[in-house]
Amino acid sequence: MKLNFITKNLLVISVAAVLFASCRNQAADQKKADYVAGLIDAIYVQQRTSETDAQCALAKKEWDKLTSAQKELVEGENADPDYFGRYTGEAMNDDPLNQDDIGENEILVVSFGTSFNDSRAKDIGGIERALAAAYPSWSVRRAFTAQIIINHVQSRDGEFIDNMDQALERAVRNGVKNLLVQPTHLMRGAEYDELCEALDSYKDKFETVAVAEPLLYSADDKEYVANAVVKEAVKVSGYNSAKDAADRGTAFVFLGHGTSHRAKVTYSQMAEMFRNLGYANMFMGTVEGEPEETAVEEVIEAVKGAGFKNVILRPLMVVAGDHANNDMAGDDDDSWKSLFKASGAFLNVECQIEGLGGIPAVESLYVEHTARALESLKKN
């Protein structure tokens, strides 16, 4: 009886010791994960400083030290396990276009940017390659306006992409005389304004400077892109035409980013353009829900009210990056795919994760915009 009592007490003590050790290990794991989360949050910023390169290197170094279980615990203001852990393709397939030996003539292609490697190489790279092929006597270089994305790619993949200031300093350092800036932005929105502001302080360092128009500048541009994206979406979906899709109860919803900038009217104009071109089964939405009629609830009601039972979601964005993969096609309850399904109004909801930059017709329009800007340079 006494032995049983001792044995039971030893067992209790052993269990308590195991639980204590387990709690201590969990606390240690969380502490390490929180440390890395803090390092990620420190580089999830729009301002580049003299410490940025070292911070990016340290964040990745400490992430690599974590166990698989510890990586799953990483959670911060912006940090999560996907920051370093999500696979988005091989960075080696992308060319950051940050080489020197630029020559006297440079086309600087300025994009917001994306951390999705495959999309960056296909969509942004597609535009850059089209411009390089069209203007072989000009050096094509890249700049991103989102330092947050630059830091993400640099820390995770070791790929160094210039921000606007770095790219302009590179041009000055290399003796560029004629600079043409081609934005890949959709419209003259906040990003375009910031680009022009950044360029203002460098204009006197070049003999000639020109800024080409963004993608959806004129009414002709909007009509051209509307036709191009509808043609591509219909082809990928396997229908013979937009009318064929409509007759079979299928609607397409094109998802833009959205903005509070006055340029948000561009999205309303694209929606009107689809209607004017006779595309009754084409709808316009935005992630940010600005303008208001492009919010997900409004679009669901519009598609439902039009009687369509099948929906295909596709980004109206240059790159099929985070917004396309998560906000549009993600599995979370608040993604567009999930919300369309949860409405119960549709038999089938599918997604096409394809950016505008990968459509040859769209690449050609950027080439045309660059041509117009080059003409203005010649006149100066």
Side-chain angles (χ1 to χ4, degrees):
M1 189 73 177
K2 185 177 181 182
L3 181 62
N4 288 339
F5 176 78
I6 294 173
T7 302
K8 288 179 180 179
N9 277 277
L10 287 174
L11 181 60
V12 169
I13 293 171
S14 297
V15 170
V18 169
L19 289 173
F20 177 77
S22 177
C23 290
R24 185 174 60 184
N25 289 338
Q26 288 178 9
D29 286 347
Q30 189 63 62
K31 184 176 180 180
K32 291 177 181 178
D34 290 344
Y35 173 59
V36 173
L39 296 176
I40 293 173
D41 283 339
I43 58 175
Y44 203 96
V45 293
Q46 189 57 19
Q47 186 67 38
R48 177 178 169 81
T49 71
S50 59
E51 304 298 319
T52 297
D53 290 342
Q55 289 175 315
C56 286
L58 178 62
K60 182 59 163 61
K61 178 183 176 182
E62 294 302 316
W63 165 266
D64 288 340
K65 290 181 181 178
L66 298 180
T67 65
S68 296
Q70 290 166 348
K71 288 175 179 178
E72 290 300 316
L73 298 174
V74 171
E75 193 68 40
E77 184 177 352
N78 294 291
D80 59 40
D82 282 345
Y83 188 86
F84 285 123
R86 182 169 187 169
Y87 181 73
T88 65
E90 296 296 329
M92 68 179 68
N93 295 329
D94 180 49
D95 185 348
L97 293 177
N98 59 1
Q99 303 88 346
D100 290 316
D101 300 323
I102 297 170
E104 295 184 352
N105 303 315
E106 178 186 350
I107 297 173
L108 181 60
V109 183
V110 181
S111 306
F112 177 81
T114 180
S115 63
F116 280 66
N117 291 332
D118 284 346
S119 299
R120 190 169 64 256
K122 178 183 178 183
D123 299 331
I124 295 175
I127 296 167
E128 294 165 343
R129 289 188 293 274
L131 291 169
Y135 308 106
S137 62
W138 289 69
S139 292
V140 174
R141 293 295 181 266
R142 171 190 291 177
F144 282 1
T145 55
Q147 188 67 45
I148 289 171
I149 289 174
I150 293 173
N151 292 351
H152 192 172
V153 175
Q154 179 176 326
S155 59
R156 184 190 62 195
D157 304 309
E159 178 177 328
F160 289 76
I161 298 171
D162 285 347
N163 62 26
M164 193 68 178
D165 284 331
Q166 289 173 310
L168 291 171
E169 287 291 347
R170 186 184 302 278
V172 171
R173 195 169 60 245
N174 278 264
V176 170
K177 293 182 179 179
N178 305 302
L179 177 68
L180 189 150
V181 178
Q182 175 62 68
T184 67
H185 307 127
L186 291 189
M187 61 194 73
R188 284 192 171 193
E191 291 291 326
Y192 182 89
D193 291 345
E194 291 171 11
L195 177 158
C196 292
E197 290 174 8
L199 186 59
D200 279 343
S201 59
Y202 285 87
K203 282 186 174 180
D204 61 351
K205 300 182 184 296
F206 307 101
E207 292 182 9
T208 60
V209 177
V211 181
E213 295 297 348
L215 186 64
L216 301 176
Y217 175 62
S218 68
D220 286 343
D221 292 337
K222 295 179 181 72
E223 179 177 349
Y224 179 90
V225 171
N227 281 320
V229 73
V230 166
K231 181 179 179 180
E232 190 69 16
V234 168
K235 181 181 74 174
V236 172
S237 64
Y239 291 106
N240 295 322
S241 64
K243 185 178 184 303
D244 176 39
D247 290 344
R248 292 159 69 177
T250 298
F252 292 82
V253 176
F254 297 104
L255 189 62
H257 183 276
T259 178
S260 59
H261 191 277
R262 62 182 180 278
K264 66 183 178 182
V265 68
T266 302
Y267 295 112
S268 300
Q269 291 168 343
M270 284 300 292
E272 184 178 5
M273 182 62 71
F274 287 132
R275 291 192 295 270
N276 292 343
L277 292 171
Y279 298 131
N281 57 333
M282 305 293 162
F283 297 83
M284 189 73 236
T286 62
V287 173
E288 299 293 331
E290 294 191 72
E292 291 181 2
E293 69 269 17
T294 60
V296 62
E297 299 85 2
E298 298 294 327
V299 178
I300 288 174
E301 287 303 313
V303 177
K304 182 170 65 174
F308 295 104
K309 292 298 182 182
N310 305 305
V311 177
I312 296 176
L313 302 169
R314 183 184 174 105
L316 191 81
M317 305 175 191
V318 174
V319 297
D322 184 67
H323 288 307
N325 284 273
N326 294 327
D327 296 312
M328 185 187 79
D331 293 326
D332 289 346
D333 292 342
D334 60 350
S335 76
W336 279 59
K337 180 185 72 175
S338 296
L339 291 170
F340 265 82
K341 287 182 176 181
S343 72
F346 309 104
L347 298 175
N348 189 45
V349 180
E350 299 178 5
C351 297
Q352 295 179 359
I353 305 180
E354 304 280 345
L356 292 172
I359 302 175
V362 172
E363 294 170 1
S364 296
L365 185 56
Y366 280 113
V367 169
E368 183 181 324
H369 283 195
T370 299
R372 294 176 199 164
L374 281 173
E375 285 300 315
S376 71
L377 276 183
K378 293 175 182 177
K379 294 176 183 178
N380 290 340

